[in-house]
Amino acid sequence: MAEFTLPLTALKGRGAAARVAHRFEQEARAAFDDGWLTWDETLQGEATKPQTEVRWEDARSAIMANDSPDIAFDYSINPYRGCEHGCSYCYARPTHSYLGLSPGLDFETVIIAKRGLAALLRKELMRPAYRPSMIVIGSVTDCYQPVERELKITRSLIEVLQQARHPFSLVTKSSGVERDLDLIAPMAADHLVAIYVTITTLDGELARQLEPRAASPQRRLRTIRTLAEAGVPVGVSVAPQIPFINDDMEQVLEAAAAAGAKSAFYTVLRLPWELNEVFQQWLAVHYPQRAARVMARVREMRGGQDYDSNFATRMTGSGLWSELIHQRFHKACARHSLNRERLALDLSQFRPGLAAGQGCLF
């Protein structure tokens, strides 16, 4: 019945166009025209729109250790699994497979919130064997995605870190970070925090397609300005770089620097596991004429493969196209005085007893 398979169409407010099967599934399903107007409803955008569902999970641990040699931090805390921002390029999508959920629509519609995370963090920081090291909040999915407005899990984590005087950083696409400036700004004054805001493109229409439920590029620039004016060290992430899609990296860096960013970093598009199918579906829906060209350049940066997990090259790629992106980035940073100084957060102020309400003599 392949000739009756329904064409993929964009779902309003969603990055994925379909529920992609996860790699542990035993069965595969595909939509087709059953003769009951399904085809017409789909083409007219009248099919049932998926709603966001939040599920609670009792956290077993708060701090996760990182052993990847190409990542610059040792520990991370992730308040949520899945992300409602719905970014079509998100490398974290395949993690939903371990939950028996689709890396496609389920990743952005079934959000797992971790219960009791702040209490666990407090307990782990107080362990005698714990030694302070850089912690990144939300290294997998955005810690300020829409559900954070009500659940406030990220805020509870920052409260614990503030009490223990433990440094941290985070990367977000959301203006929600501004809500917690009452905690973040005093920590910034003591060299205990750094914030990075991701701006993939300044093109609002492209951003709505790539990151349908994230803040607009202009709103993110305003967030950078707000953080900088509050004295918070703020940087910009221009990740990921996607050939022939977001070609305005230099303009993003210029605008971010003008808003107050002092540092920047980038990665190139990577397509592990099911993300390969999700992203190629996105290309087929939004940019069918250039899809083959985009994937040809992606493969050029991955040694002829759709993806190469080699730690030496997975973040930046390899080959001529990768080198071109590298040169463009570093020349733009030099032009706008980004990355001139390395920010080092102060680990020496860590006082775990303060998080438990104990006094301190020093």
Side-chain angles (χ1 to χ4, degrees):
M1 302 182 71
E3 63 270 28
F4 297 109
T5 300
L6 296 176
L8 288 172
T9 57
L11 297 176
K12 186 176 181 180
R14 299 298 179 186
R19 185 193 178 281
V20 173
H22 62 77
R23 57 187 178 277
F24 306 116
E25 278 193 69
Q26 301 294 320
E27 301 175 354
R29 295 177 175 86
F32 69 94
D33 183 15
D34 57 7
W36 291 88
L37 303 180
T38 309
W39 182 281
D40 295 334
E41 289 176 0
T42 299
L43 291 181
Q44 294 171 12
E46 297 173 358
T48 302
K49 295 180 175 60
Q51 301 298 310
T52 301
E53 173 189 356
V54 178
R55 300 179 185 176
W56 284 99
E57 171 185 271
D58 291 319
R60 291 179 292 178
S61 62
I63 301 174
M64 304 299 295
N66 162 59
D67 59 1
S68 299
D70 58 341
I71 295 178
F73 54 87
D74 298 317
Y75 299 118
S76 65
I77 309 173
N78 290 287
Y80 305 102
R81 300 176 189 261
C83 184
E84 198 177 356
H85 285 160
C87 303
S88 56
Y89 53 74
C90 182
Y91 63 86
R93 282 183 178 271
T95 61
H96 248 40
S97 297
Y98 297 111
L99 305 175
L101 297 169
S102 166
L105 280 176
D106 286 350
F107 179 79
E108 52 196 278
T109 59
V110 183
I111 309 302
I112 312 299
K114 298 182 181 180
R115 183 167 25 220
L117 204 58
L120 274 173
L121 174 61
R122 192 186 310 274
K123 181 179 179 181
E124 291 171 9
L125 291 179
M126 293 184 63
R127 288 175 179 166
Y130 179 77
R131 295 294 179 268
S133 186
M134 175 54 61
I135 287 179
V136 174
I137 302 178
S139 62
V140 179
T141 57
D142 202 312
C143 60
Y144 281 106
Q145 58 180 287
V147 296
E148 169 64 17
R149 296 172 193 153
E150 298 178 9
L151 302 185
K152 299 181 180 179
I153 300 176
T154 298
R155 182 176 176 86
S156 69
L157 295 172
I158 295 176
E159 287 173 341
V160 174
L161 293 170
Q162 183 197 45
Q163 292 162 4
R165 302 190 65 76
H166 194 299
F168 75 93
S169 66
L170 62 85
V171 185
T172 184
K173 295 182 178 74
S174 173
S175 60
V177 66
E178 297 175 18
R179 178 200 65 187
D180 296 336
L181 266 176
D182 61 317
L183 301 173
I184 293 172
M187 294 184 73
D190 292 332
H191 308 288
L192 293 174
V193 66
I195 307 295
Y196 295 86
V197 178
T198 298
I199 304 179
T200 316
T201 178
L202 295 180
D203 184 332
E205 182 177 354
L206 173 59
R208 283 191 295 273
Q209 296 169 344
L210 271 174
E211 312 151 336
R213 296 201 175 196
S216 71
Q218 294 305 316
R219 183 66 183 90
R220 289 181 236 178
L221 285 171
R222 201 162 79 210
T223 295
I224 290 177
R225 187 176 299 280
T226 299
L227 291 168
E229 290 176 350
V232 179
V234 58
V236 62
S237 161
V238 289
Q241 290 299 302
I242 309 171
F244 308 122
I245 298 296
N246 56 334
D247 286 334
D248 58 346
M249 176 173 62
E250 289 86 351
Q251 289 80 9
V252 174
L253 292 170
E254 179 180 9
K262 298 299 182 184
S263 60
F265 72 89
Y266 80 99
T267 63
V268 299
L269 176 70
R270 49 191 178 114
L271 300 174
W273 298 103
E274 299 90 342
L275 177 57
N276 191 15
E277 182 178 355
V278 173
F279 183 76
Q280 291 204 51
Q281 284 184 353
W282 181 87
L283 279 176
V285 169
H286 295 283
Y287 294 95
Q289 293 84 6
R290 72 178 81 165
R293 190 180 179 202
V294 171
M295 289 307 301
R297 286 294 178 268
V298 169
R299 294 181 187 115
E300 181 180 316
M301 290 190 293
R302 300 296 183 190
Q305 306 293 320
D306 288 347
Y307 180 59
D308 180 4
S309 60
N310 186 333
F311 284 131
T313 60
R314 67 172 182 164
M315 297 296 187
T316 58
S318 60
L320 291 176
W321 196 263
S322 170
E323 181 59 27
L324 175 62
I325 294 174
H326 174 84
Q327 291 184 18
R328 288 173 56 201
F329 174 79
H330 286 283
K331 288 182 177 180
C333 285
R335 189 159 54 247
H336 302 296
S337 301
L338 293 167
N339 293 336
R340 285 201 168 180
E341 296 181 4
R342 184 179 180 275
L343 175 65
L345 300 184
D346 187 358
L347 295 169
S348 68
Q349 299 183 47
F350 177 56
R351 298 292 185 272
L354 295 177
Q358 299 176 9
C360 182
L361 297 177
F362 305 98

